Amino acid sequence: MIDLYTWSNPNGWKVSIMLDACALHYRLPKINIGTNAEQFTPAYLKINPNGKIPSIVDPDGPGGKPIAMMESGAILIYLADKTGKFFPQNQKYQVLQWLMFQMGGVGPMFGQAHHFMRAKKDEIPYGTERYGNEAKRLYGVMDRHLEKNEYFASEYSIADIAIYPWTARYEWHRVDIAAFKNVKRWYDKVGARPAVVKGMAVPQV
């Protein structure tokens, strides 16, 4: 039984989607990042030295030994290696480049857009414009790729699993997803998968 330390946000949803897609049993010791306290307890910092979510503890890690993992992208790769799912080896580098696109671009930039457009009490025009424009640029990159591809690689993979939860926040960064018709087609198709529906509801808070 894998322990998933998580909260209700895109990085956490990546891992719950993956666990459900792989039919792996897991428990949910919640880490309420809203309190700014639970994630910095000594016990949790032993699992995740960065004090973020998500993290997992798998008692049946490599060689049958327990393993603790932090960083959502690394966790997706680990779970894909563990199960042999959603990481097609004939498309390994295609998958990795789009996974890194999410980790280095979509996540940080969309996250900043969320901050300046939703979390700040007083809107800061410079931040709204800078990160709003970058979010739209990234949607354009995705849209052009998906014009000729059903998924980010040749088949559904951890790249799609990583990108979807951030795209699901499109209203938060004031993007009209219908304006990116290829992203919208992909978004609707991925969002209808049972494991995605289930994983996006984790945890119930």
Side-chain angles (χ1 to χ4, degrees):
M1 181 77 73
I2 293 173
D3 283 334
L4 168 59
Y5 296 83
T6 192
W7 197 241
S8 184
N9 75 12
N11 284 332
W13 291 328
K14 293 181 210 173
V15 179
S16 52
I17 289 169
M18 182 65 172
L19 287 165
D20 284 315
C22 295
L24 291 168
H25 297 293
Y26 62 98
R27 294 178 295 206
L28 290 166
K30 297 174 187 175
I31 297 293
N32 184 348
I33 59 175
T35 67
N36 218 16
E38 292 180 19
Q39 69 211 75
F40 297 117
T41 62
Y44 186 64
L45 288 173
K46 286 182 180 179
I47 295 166
N48 186 327
N50 198 30
K52 303 288 186 182
I53 64 99
S55 307
I56 65 167
V57 175
D58 183 1
D60 184 26
K65 297 180 180 179
I67 185 172
M69 292 283 299
M70 65 177 190
E71 293 299 321
S72 57
I75 294 169
L76 291 181
I77 293 171
Y78 168 75
L79 293 173
D81 282 345
K82 178 182 177 73
T83 62
K85 296 180 178 180
F86 307 114
F87 197 179
Q89 292 302 294
N90 63 342
Q91 286 285 296
K92 179 178 180 179
Y93 297 110
Q94 185 80 348
V95 172
L96 282 174
Q97 70 176 358
W98 287 104
L99 177 62
M100 295 304 110
F101 169 81
Q102 187 281 306
M103 300 299 295
V106 165
M109 296 300 103
F110 287 12
Q112 289 297 322
H114 297 171
H115 175 75
F116 283 102
M117 295 180 181
R118 187 174 184 275
K120 291 291 290 180
K121 265 185 192 176
D122 301 315
E123 186 155 322
I124 300 173
Y126 174 78
T128 297
E129 181 180 8
R130 175 180 174 84
Y131 294 108
N133 288 342
E134 179 62 5
K136 291 182 177 72
R137 187 190 73 80
L138 291 168
Y139 270 88
V141 173
M142 293 190 288
D143 201 64
R144 289 188 294 274
H145 178 72
L146 292 168
E147 183 176 7
K148 297 180 179 179
N149 298 276
E150 185 177 10
Y151 299 110
F152 281 96
S154 61
E155 59 189 80
Y156 183 71
S157 73
I158 56 175
D160 303 283
I161 291 171
I163 294 169
Y164 178 85
W166 284 100
T167 309
R169 295 289 208 197
Y170 64 88
E171 292 179 338
W172 285 22
H173 40 266
R174 302 176 191 171
V175 165
D176 177 9
I177 196 171
F180 300 94
K181 63 179 183 180
N182 302 304
V183 174
K184 180 66 164 58
R185 183 265 309 155
W186 166 87
Y187 175 79
D188 290 343
K189 187 178 182 70
V190 171
R193 296 175 73 96
V196 174
V197 174
K198 187 176 179 182
M200 288 290 290
V202 173
Q204 297 288 342
V205 295

